């Protein structure tokens, strides 16, 4: 809305028009902030998905290593029992 000219008389609905302009400007600012936050949320969701995948891979690797340790313990036990018998 155009500002009033100097010396112009302000009508009752002018204050509503000014307030509408203020609210529309605030709404536009909030919409921009909302868009930025949506982008940040999407980036964090992507990061979370990546970390979840990495965690799953590490858990799989850990399980494989635990299995390998168990196999080596059994072999060690067999070797120790075999050397005791001799």
């Amino acid at each position: 809305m155009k500002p009033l000219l100097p010396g112009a008389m302000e009508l009752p609905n002018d204050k509503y028009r000014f307030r509408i302009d203020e609210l529309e400007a605030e709404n536009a600012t909030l919409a921009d902030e909302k868009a930025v936050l949506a982008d940040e949320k999407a980036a964090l969701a992507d990061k979370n998905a990546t970390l979840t995948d990495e965690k799953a891979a590490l858990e799989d690797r850990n399980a494989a290593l635990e299995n390998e340790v168990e196999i080596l313990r059994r072999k060690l036990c067999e070797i120790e029992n075999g050397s005791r018998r001799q």
Side-chain angles (χ1 to χ4, degrees):
M1 175 163 170
K2 295 180 184 177
L4 294 176
L5 297 174
M9 196 165 115
E10 187 174 317
L11 299 173
N13 33 334
D14 288 338
K15 68 179 176 181
Y16 297 116
R17 288 187 183 132
F18 289 132
R19 184 64 180 143
I20 288 169
D21 289 345
E22 290 172 359
L23 292 174
E24 286 175 343
E26 184 179 347
N27 189 37
T29 300
L30 291 174
D32 291 343
E33 290 176 10
K34 182 180 176 183
V36 168
L37 290 174
D39 290 344
E40 289 175 7
K41 181 180 176 183
L44 289 173
D46 289 345
K47 178 75 172 177
N48 187 43
T50 299
L51 291 173
T52 300
D53 291 345
E54 288 176 13
K55 179 184 175 192
L58 289 172
E59 288 172 346
D60 290 346
R61 178 73 175 135
N62 188 47
L65 291 173
E66 287 176 358
N67 187 40
E68 189 175 341
V69 166
E70 185 59 33
I71 290 169
L72 292 173
R73 282 187 180 141
R74 286 182 188 156
K75 286 182 180 180
L76 179 61
C77 187
E78 289 173 6
I79 291 170
E80 287 175 346
N81 287 338
S83 65
R84 287 183 193 159
R85 290 181 188 159
Q86 294 177 358

